[in-house]
Amino acid sequence: MKIHVLLAVLAVTSGISRGAPVRLLFDTDITGDVDDVLALAMCHTLADRGACELIGVTVSKVNPLAASFVDAQNTYYGRPDLPVGVTRDPDAQKRESRYLSLAGSPDYPHDLRSNEEAREAVDLIRELLAASPDGSVSIVSVGIASNLANLLKSGGDAHSPLDGPALIRQKVKLLSIMAGAFTFANGTNYHLEANVINGIGYMQTVAGSWPEEIPVIWSGFEIGENLPFPRRSVAQDFSYREKHLVREAYLLHSGPEHDRPCWDESSVLYAVYPDRGYFGLSESGQVSVGDDGFTRFRPPGREGKGSRRDRFLRMTPVQQGRALEAIVQLTVQPPRG
Ligand SMILES: [Ca+2]
């Protein structure tokens, strides 16, 4: 056997492949909490490194400044033309923000002046999926599930004749979603998590209708709660620019004396580096969403029947340290250029 053939075989058998980087679609409720801003910064950093290809950002909650802010952050990170979509679902939660007003600052230029100038989110997602190679897109969902639910309910259109579930089956590789709680969290084993309870019907649609063949990895509340972004890093590590959008947003939301949990960042880290051991995984099973918003995980029955679509993230103390440091370093990395 020639040496290059041997090496190729070794690479395949050891699970190390150098295929095209995953195509990342970031679906966010970037309005209330600030972890969405840090998670979007990570997406850009990872794209700068060639670890992923960032193909678009969609917003699942309603705030008139959402599209402008996302466009400003994309521009800040050197991607002024990255497509931005916003939900136009009248039932999606409207949410105030402490930091989206930064979009009005002359320090952060951008094109999109209003949500009306942005794309409708599901139409954009369908276009991006249809234009992607089969099985190539990882969706990171870090907010309420309005866009995912409406994608699942969508029918064929000019982008693809396939309905939502069929399009997902063909194009999507993974859904990495921050939602729910799966162990003891926030002082209870019955924590009702915000991304679910702020749109219970949407999350029920995702849990109930997401295609069985496409894995869903849930980052429960307990994961981010144990990944506190260090205030010292906020104070020191963004100093390479006098005006830094991420630092300003963080301070407007959380102030200088708070270590904000990295809920949303955990789902980005897993989606891009699923094989790096930053997290452990539960066994396979299925998540259901109750009418009160509680997320219940059920493994298959004794006879092995039942769904194996879903798993949730776990974290040992060693993984906790590794994951947090990776998130911090990916968040504070300077934009390219
Ligand atoms: Ca969020």
Side-chain angles (χ1 to χ4, degrees):
M1 188 181 287
K2 289 210 168 76
I3 186 72
H4 63 272
V5 175
L6 179 64
L7 288 174
V9 169
L10 283 173
V12 169
T13 53
S14 64
I16 300 169
S17 63
R18 294 191 183 279
V22 64
R23 292 167 64 79
L24 207 69
L25 179 63
F26 186 63
D27 186 54
T28 168
D29 61 345
I30 195 160
T31 49
D33 212 318
V34 78
D35 55 336
D36 300 78
V37 178
L38 279 67
L40 180 54
M42 281 179 71
C43 293
H44 282 288
T45 296
L46 288 159
D48 289 349
R49 294 177 173 207
C52 71
E53 185 181 347
L54 183 56
I55 62 172
V57 180
T58 50
V59 181
S60 55
K61 273 186 195 165
V62 179
N63 182 297
L65 296 172
S68 296
F69 182 93
V70 169
D71 195 35
Q73 187 169 357
N74 294 344
T75 303
Y76 190 80
Y77 278 88
R79 292 183 179 79
D81 298 324
L82 189 66
V84 177
V86 295
T87 180
R88 304 207 202 287
D89 183 337
D91 296 328
Q93 190 188 34
K94 296 169 185 61
R95 184 74 191 264
E96 299 297 310
S97 175
R98 295 181 193 164
Y99 59 82
L100 289 181
S101 57
L102 289 169
S105 163
D107 296 325
Y108 306 115
H110 54 91
D111 298 326
L112 292 179
R113 294 289 142 199
S114 68
N115 288 346
E116 288 66 37
E117 292 181 17
R119 297 279 303 277
E120 192 282 319
V122 174
D123 184 61
L124 176 60
I125 294 172
R126 288 187 55 89
E127 180 181 337
L128 292 170
L129 289 180
S132 294
D134 291 355
S136 68
V137 178
S138 286
I139 298 178
V140 177
S141 172
V142 296
I144 63 169
S146 57
N147 291 332
L148 291 181
N150 290 331
L151 172 64
L152 283 161
K153 291 174 186 165
S154 67
D157 59 11
H159 306 304
S160 167
L162 301 177
D163 64 15
L167 189 59
I168 290 167
R169 228 175 260 120
Q170 185 175 80
K171 302 294 184 180
V172 177
K173 178 182 186 177
L174 170 77
L175 171 60
S176 181
I177 183 168
M178 193 281 124
F182 302 98
T183 61
F184 198 80
N186 205 25
T188 175
N189 64 356
Y190 205 89
H191 178 62
L192 302 178
E193 191 276 321
N195 287 346
V196 185
I197 61 170
N198 289 329
I200 294 173
Y202 298 132
M203 204 62 79
Q204 286 178 322
T205 297
V206 172
S209 309
W210 188 265
E212 176 69 25
E213 303 89 335
I214 309 301
V216 183
I217 305 295
W218 300 74
S219 179
F221 181 88
E222 65 275 6
I223 296 294
E225 193 182 41
N226 287 297
L227 296 170
F229 196 91
R231 69 194 74 181
R232 182 173 184 180
S233 188
V234 176
Q236 298 181 348
D237 294 346
F238 295 106
S239 307
Y240 52 83
R241 286 201 188 169
E242 189 186 345
K243 298 287 185 182
H244 201 298
L245 182 62
V246 175
R247 178 182 54 208
E248 286 205 62
Y250 188 102
L251 293 175
L252 284 172
H253 178 272
S254 295
E257 304 296 334
H258 179 66
D259 300 331
R260 195 71 191 144
C262 295
W263 291 290
D264 294 357
E265 298 94 315
S266 67
S267 287
V268 176
L269 186 64
Y270 180 82
V272 177
Y273 290 133
D275 301 327
R276 298 291 180 88
Y278 288 119
F279 303 100
L281 291 173
S282 72
E283 62 183 312
S284 304
Q286 184 162 28
V287 171
S288 61
V289 177
D291 289 339
D292 63 353
F294 185 64
T295 47
R296 188 181 302 279
F297 175 84
R298 284 193 183 82
R302 275 192 201 147
E303 62 282 11
K305 287 181 184 166
S307 171
R308 297 177 182 275
R309 182 193 66 188
D310 300 321
R311 288 183 285 182
F312 58 88
L313 297 184
R314 294 183 183 281
M315 214 166 43
T316 65
V318 169
Q319 288 170 323
Q320 181 183 6
R322 289 187 62 226
L324 180 58
E325 194 55 29
I327 287 169
V328 169
Q329 297 305 330
L330 288 167
T331 303
V332 303
Q333 179 172 308
R336 64 182 175 182

